[in-house]
Amino acid sequence: MAQTFSTEAWRQVIIPYEIAADYDNPFLDVSIQAAFTGPDGQTITREAYWDGGRSYKFAFAPITEGIWSWKVSAPKETGISGETGTVSCVPYTGDLPIYRHGFLRVHESGRSLCHADGTPFFWLGDTHWEFAYRERWDESNHPEMDSMFRGMADRRVRQGFNIYQTNLRSDAWPDRGGESPYWRKGDAGEYPNVAFYQEELDRRMYYLADLGLVNALGFGWFMSVFSEGIAHWKNTARYILARYGALPIVWTLAGEVAGYAPEPDRTNFINAWREVALWISEHDGYRTLQTAHYDNHRPFSEYYYDEDWYDFTLNQAGHGDFRISAHDFYSYCQAHPAKPFVEGESMYEFCSTLEESGTRLCTADMLRRVAYTAIQCGACGYTYGAQGIWDTVWKKNEISPSPVSVFNRFGITWYEAIDGIGAAQMGYLRRFYEELHFEELRPVLTPGLSPFGDFEEPGEHPSMHDPLTLAAPDADRFVVYYNSNTRGGCRIRNMRDCAYTAQWFNPRTAEWSVCEERLTPEDGCWRAPGRPDGDDWLLVIKSI
């Protein structure tokens, strides 16, 4: 008898089947698929995931309203080959953007991300490398939270985050007994540890999805492709894709994909993980966005950039182990304009930096300046992180100085990190750029004005002292960022022959104040003043 289901657009429904056969390895020995066909004739193919015993389930999210029908393809002995059913897709009635506007894709401009219906999407991520099982579900030692995991996710949503940048950490690490909780091994090979998914990971994945967060998900860390093999990671991708691929997801492949070993290991890492990425690209019926969590190098890494499966750059500028400059961001975005750029890991709040002259605590001011620098140079998003959260420090006595734990020399716990002011300021950043229609703005070089002289023409790229400027194509908006090293004002050029207004935006408090109620350019130029005080500021100039 055909099954029938109803769900809202872009919302997952789980379709269960019980098969009539037993297999030595119920994961490796059988593949059960269904083709879901929508009212417009579009087909999405999904593989069923094994859920223990003879239970197999399809996870499916319809992407258009109307009736979707499916037909199962499976070996005859399963007893379900040819089974059919329908999913009635009704309009989404909630207020979460990821379901109102659909999953993510690359904007037609190639410079930013957007929803399926074209609505702009500004990437604001929070880093949770250990979200899958080390962040506690039923415990908390933060006075305002009953759950470590749920409390942090709820807080980030309230602050304006829309991306959870995570990693399954499904590597078989020696300090975890050399066994991954995701897998079990038997005489017929490895198979999913279904109890772990049912009892632990499902609720975490679903909780994030129900909050409207997009999970930017990696499978493991770079070195594991050697220790555990390409076949293992394809199996991991296959099972995760089947079980969670109908949720709001971005595939980020693996942490620091190329690693830091010299050749030939570096190239071997890149080539091995490429095979996993290509497998996902071939089998993901949703054509979910794919990228790779890059390693930290200068100049910024660009492997995979020209490959079809690779949709956007998820960069890692690092935590002080290299100088972080506007030149690096600007040069990369100018040289790679065909795909969006997101700064995905830099200067986590409370991190102990890696600097040749010694370490220091990374403050909200430091990370905020990197975030605005990246966006002003052409990035379309930023991932924040807080030390004590990504390394999942429960209490103070878990931290001991060692040559390995170089990033948490100041003993920061998760319950301290979650209260960092930098996260709130990242929420201000997202709202600021969305209100100004960031997707329309482009970096322009702006000559500076300083006590040491005025510059008629800008250099080939911005220096550490230069204001960083974004401009709308029709010159009706200019956004100027003054970092704490900018010594004076700047000359805004190529303005329209009309009146403008100028306002200051304080990125620490999100407060606005008037700079000029009315200004008129002379010969298309205006001499903008320096910032109000010694902190970083933004000057927004709009035509009247």
Side-chain angles (χ1 to χ4, degrees):
M1 183 176 180
Q3 299 188 66
T4 60
F5 292 86
S6 179
T7 189
E8 295 178 325
W10 301 101
R11 294 291 277 170
Q12 174 181 265
V13 62
I14 302 295
I15 301 167
Y17 280 99
E18 290 289 322
I19 68 171
D22 292 310
Y23 292 95
D24 291 338
N25 188 315
F27 171 66
L28 294 177
D29 293 350
V30 62
S31 177
I32 300 172
Q33 298 186 338
F36 292 81
T37 303
D40 57 358
Q42 180 178 359
T43 297
I44 296 173
T45 300
R46 297 287 295 147
E47 182 176 15
Y49 60 90
W50 176 59
D51 203 36
R54 293 183 172 183
S55 175
Y56 290 80
K57 297 177 180 178
F58 291 103
F60 173 69
I63 63 176
T64 55
E65 297 167 20
I67 301 299
W68 288 74
S69 61
W70 81 78
K71 184 176 182 179
V72 175
S73 296
K76 184 178 180 179
E77 68 268 15
T78 64
I80 64 171
S81 182
E83 288 286 315
T84 61
T86 59
V87 176
S88 175
C89 178
V90 300
Y92 173 68
T93 58
D95 58 3
L96 298 175
I98 197 61
Y99 304 118
R100 287 181 60 195
H101 304 294
F103 293 168
L104 302 186
R105 64 177 177 86
V106 174
H107 188 269
E108 285 80 359
S109 68
R111 293 179 176 270
S112 62
L113 302 175
C114 64
H115 292 272
D117 67 359
T119 300
F121 181 86
F122 185 93
W123 174 297
L124 181 59
D126 189 36
T127 303
H128 290 260
W129 296 142
E130 304 280 2
F131 91 111
Y133 50 92
R134 290 192 64 195
E135 293 182 1
R136 306 189 190 192
W137 182 268
D138 293 317
E139 294 180 83
S140 170
N141 51 3
H142 187 290
E144 299 174 8
M145 299 178 183
D146 295 327
S147 162
M148 179 186 190
F149 179 91
R150 286 171 284 141
M152 290 195 294
D154 293 347
R155 170 77 64 85
R156 292 301 186 239
V157 168
R158 290 196 299 271
Q159 290 173 324
F161 288 77
N162 52 17
I163 293 281
Y164 237 49
Q165 190 166 297
T166 67
N167 195 290
L168 294 175
R169 302 313 304 269
S170 54
D171 328 62
W173 285 69
D175 65 351
R176 298 169 187 165
E179 185 176 31
S180 167
Y182 296 82
W183 294 98
R184 293 292 178 260
K185 293 183 180 180
D187 295 337
E190 66 180 5
Y191 56 91
N193 178 15
V194 170
F196 169 75
Y197 291 92
Q198 293 172 337
E199 297 167 8
E200 198 63 76
L201 192 56
D202 282 357
R203 61 184 180 179
R204 296 165 186 264
M205 297 292 291
Y206 297 160
Y207 193 84
L208 297 180
D210 287 342
L211 287 176
L213 289 165
V214 176
N215 194 332
L217 184 68
F219 301 112
W221 230 252
F222 67 91
M223 56 283 191
S224 302
V225 79
F226 284 179
S227 61
E228 296 169 59
I230 296 172
H232 168 86
W233 291 106
K234 286 184 178 180
N235 285 339
T236 299
R238 176 189 166 195
Y239 192 73
I240 296 299
L241 178 59
R243 193 166 190 121
Y244 303 119
L247 298 174
I249 293 280
V250 170
W251 307 117
T252 64
L253 198 55
E256 302 177 307
V257 167
Y260 301 97
E263 297 291 0
D265 282 352
R266 178 176 172 82
T267 295
N268 290 338
F269 282 131
I270 293 171
N271 292 340
W273 282 111
R274 177 190 289 111
E275 292 193 37
V276 180
L278 289 172
W279 190 96
I280 295 171
S281 181
E282 181 181 353
H283 292 87
D284 187 347
Y286 286 103
R287 186 58 180 92
T288 303
L289 289 181
Q290 272 208 89
T291 186
H293 176 255
Y294 271 159
D295 48 285
N296 173 23
H297 279 93
R298 296 295 187 278
F300 292 155
S301 296
E302 59 182 6
Y303 52 88
Y304 301 147
Y305 182 84
D306 294 324
E307 301 180 27
D308 291 340
W309 65 267
Y310 183 82
D311 293 308
F312 68 98
T313 296
L314 185 63
N315 188 60
Q316 181 186 171
H319 306 281
D321 32 354
F322 286 97
R323 184 174 65 90
I324 300 172
S325 71
H327 169 265
D328 294 317
F329 291 114
Y330 181 85
S331 298
Y332 190 95
C333 290
Q334 291 297 307
H336 302 81
K339 294 181 179 179
F341 179 95
V342 172
E343 176 47 51
E345 183 174 343
S346 184
M347 305 303 279
Y348 287 165
E349 190 167 13
F350 305 115
C351 180
S352 47
T353 61
L354 300 180
E355 299 176 88
E356 293 182 3
S357 59
T359 190
R360 55 180 167 155
L361 184 71
C362 181
T363 65
D365 289 341
M366 293 163 67
L367 75 91
R368 184 185 66 249
R369 291 163 189 163
V370 174
Y372 277 99
T373 295
I375 305 302
Q376 291 290 123
C377 289
C380 64
Y382 187 83
T383 299
Y384 166 89
Q387 195 70 39
I389 293 176
W390 74 261
D391 51 344
T392 324
V393 178
W394 178 254
K395 54 187 177 182
K396 287 289 188 181
N397 63 12
E398 290 181 350
I399 309 166
S400 59
S402 76
V404 177
S405 60
V406 294
F407 290 114
N408 205 338
R409 298 175 189 266
F410 296 96
I412 306 298
T413 62
W414 81 272
Y415 57 81
E416 295 170 308
I418 193 62
D419 292 336
I421 188 60
Q425 292 177 353
M426 291 299 96
Y428 306 157
L429 173 142
R430 176 188 165 195
R431 290 193 293 273
F432 172 80
Y433 283 110
E434 286 181 337
E435 290 173 3
L436 292 169
H437 296 282
F438 71 95
E439 72 281 1
E440 300 173 359
L441 304 176
R442 300 289 181 268
V444 295
L445 293 171
T446 303
L449 309 173
S450 78
F452 302 98
D454 297 350
F455 298 92
E456 293 296 330
E457 297 295 333
E460 295 181 357
H461 53 75
S463 75
M464 65 183 294
H465 301 293
D466 290 333
L468 303 174
T469 304
L470 292 173
D474 62 357
D476 73 330
R477 279 159 294 150
F478 296 84
V479 180
V480 185
Y481 178 62
Y482 293 89
N483 64 37
S484 58
N485 295 317
T486 306
R487 299 184 179 182
C490 62
R491 181 179 289 105
I492 307 298
R493 305 182 304 167
N494 301 315
M495 301 177 75
R496 296 163 62 179
D497 185 20
C498 67
Y500 287 81
T501 183
Q503 288 184 295
W504 291 110
F505 177 78
N506 185 333
R508 294 164 299 285
T509 64
E511 295 175 322
W512 291 85
S513 57
V514 175
C515 175
E516 294 282 349
E517 291 186 355
R518 186 181 183 88
L519 63 94
T520 303
E522 295 184 9
D523 298 323
C525 295
W526 180 59
R527 293 172 61 93
R531 63 193 192 281
D533 57 34
D535 286 316
D536 55 327
W537 287 82
L538 292 109
L539 182 63
V540 177
I541 307 157
K542 295 182 180 180
S543 61
I544 300 175

